[in-house]
């Protein structure tokens, strides 16, 4: 007998059990899209990433290699990070040729990842607990930082990890492996995440965790098969990582090397151990992560998937990698942590009236396999010892407390402020600049209008360009200048030219200067 008791599978029951997941997806998508649209209208530009990926999507929409002039003349972005799965952005750009479309795609990817995890929470904990957990998840600190920093390839990894986590908890090992495999096509370091996932599967198989079998055989043979599958997944992840960083990235990179190691300069720490243990912000990130996993999630082998990401971030001397409030680096940690929490809850629930190796909702050999998406099981908590109930309650309460404590410190809180999303006061001046640049012209600029110019122009960034472009745009308020922007865009562009190009100033309005090449 499993720890989850079956109840009649009525249409109304199925509908009600799907509401928590649907609510999480809709609320999350709506909140994130409202934030992204407001950020776009207000012309807030946190980094050059959105412009870079917009040039990539633009190239893919033309069935071209992802050459991104913002990174440098002829720069193939597959040599920066290995993310061939981003070819899926090509059709999106073809239909909606605007960087805003990429922001909406990211918002939807993050939101839809709440579906499988909230459905699993419903089966394990009931509708109320699943609703609050789903809402916490989709509005979590890791997702808000990703949305605020705008588009990044890591968004494609989040739903894959969410579905893989659910398959892991339910003992569907082959499904788990299939969800994990595409991660190596999203970012090179995710091969190490797949490695850790494979080891987690192998451990569960070796321990004799129940599975939804696809073939018959004695228990020891099924355990061996699961462990063997886990080892193969781990080897696949490791091989993909090594192939990517030692062969593919060096072959595609202009520098001929993998450009992202652990020795990035600038920090005062001189040893890896010192970097790992230093800085209060690293401890804050770990605290937020432990809270998301409800503490009990640390007992799940699935939690080990966070180790590669945390390691390369904390061992780097780049302080941008360490924090919990900003940027996109925390997004993939969230489905891992909640998956580990639900895995721990499933183990607690299975303990009293099922063998310790059986997963709630998993059929014994010879029984019909249930549809994992059909929420027909009611948790049987009445038979669970009191200590296990308290542990599960702690696991649910801690993420919610984490969410409430960090609510006002996170980007989406700004939606509640009056006037959020109003057009920037500089919108009219920016429009004047862009109207004066003919479609198809090449433009060198800073961060201010970088993404906004991509749809109709070939865009270069002032920090990497060695090309004499048709136009140069200087935004005096852009952070790219470090508070010391050129006072005359034409004189600056003429002075920067390596081929004797001459520019004239054609517009000086609202903090923007536009210079045109005349010879």
């Amino acid at each position: 007998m499993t720890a989850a008791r079956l109840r009649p599978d009525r249409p109304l029951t199925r509908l009600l059990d799907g509401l928590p997941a649907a609510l999480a997806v809709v609320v999350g998508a709506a909140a994130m899209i409202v934030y992204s649209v407001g950020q776009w209208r207000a012309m807030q530009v946190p980094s050059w990433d959105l412009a870079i990926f917009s040039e990539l999507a633009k190239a893919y929409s033309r069935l071209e290699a992802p050459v991104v002039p913002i990174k440098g003349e002829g720069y193939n972005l597959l040599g920066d990070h290995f993310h061939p799965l981003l070819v899926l952005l090509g059709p999106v750009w073809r239909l909606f040729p605007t960087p805003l479309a990429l922001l909406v795609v990211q918002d939807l990817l993050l939101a839809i990842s709440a579906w499988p995890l909230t459905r699993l929470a419903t089966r394990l904990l009931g509708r109320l607990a699943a609703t609050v957990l789903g809402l916490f998840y989709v509005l979590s600190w890791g997702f808000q930082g990703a949305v605020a920093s705008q588009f990044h390839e890591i968004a494609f990894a989040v739903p894959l990890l969410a579905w893989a986590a659910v398959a892991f908890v339910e003992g569907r090992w082959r499904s788990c492996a299939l969800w994990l495999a595409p991660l190596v096509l999203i970012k090179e370091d995710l091969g190490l995440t797949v490695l850790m996932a494979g080891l987690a599967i192998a451990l569960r198989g070796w321990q004799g965790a129940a599975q939804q079998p696809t073939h018959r055989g004695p228990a020891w043979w099924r355990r061996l098969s699961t462990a063997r599958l886990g080892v193969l997944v781990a080897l696949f992840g490791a091989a993909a990582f090594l192939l990517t960083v030692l062969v593919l990235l060096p072959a595609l990179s202009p520098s001929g090397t993998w450009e992202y190691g652990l020795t990035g300069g600038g920090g005062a720490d001189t040893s890896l151990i010192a970097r790992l243990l230093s800085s209060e912000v690293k401890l804050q990130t770990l605290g937020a992560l432990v809270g998301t996993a409800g503490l009990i999630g640390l007992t799940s082998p699935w939690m080990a998937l966070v180790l590669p990401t945390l390691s390369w971030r904390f061992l780097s001397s780049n302080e941008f990698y360490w924090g919990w409030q900003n940027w996109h680096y925390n997004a993939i940690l969230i489905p891992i942590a909640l998956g580990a929490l639900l895995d721990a809850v499933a183990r607690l629930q299975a303990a009293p009236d099922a063998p310790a190796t059986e997963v709630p909702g998993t059929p014994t050999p010879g029984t019909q396999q249930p549809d994992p998406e059909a929420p027909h099981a009611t948790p049987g908590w009445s038979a669970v010892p009191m200590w296990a109930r308290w542990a599960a309650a702690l696991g649910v309460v801690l993420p919610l407390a984490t969410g409430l404590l960090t609510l006002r410190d996170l980007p989406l809180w700004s939606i509640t402020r009056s006037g959020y999303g109003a057009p920037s006061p500089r919108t009219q001046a920016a429009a004047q600049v862009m109207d004066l640049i003919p479609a198809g012209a090449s433009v060198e600029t800073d961060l201010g209008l970088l993404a906004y110019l991509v749809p109709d122009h070939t865009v270069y960034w002032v920090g990497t360009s060695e090309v004499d472009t048709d136009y140069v745009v200087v935004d005096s308020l852009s952070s790219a200048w470090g508070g010391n922007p050129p006072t005359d865009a034409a004189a600056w562009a003429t002075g920067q030219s390596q081929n004797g190009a001459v520019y004239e100033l054609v517009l000086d309005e609202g903090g923007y200067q536009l210079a045109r090449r005349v010879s």
Side-chain angles (χ1 to χ4, degrees), residues 116-129:
L117 289 166
T118 309
R119 295 272 282 178
L120 175 61
T122 302
R123 294 193 286 275
L124 293 174
L125 295 164
R127 297 170 191 145
L128 179 60

Side-chain angles (χ1 to χ4, degrees), residues 361-372:
T362 302
T364 54
T367 62
Q368 183 178 2
Q369 178 175 324
D371 177 5

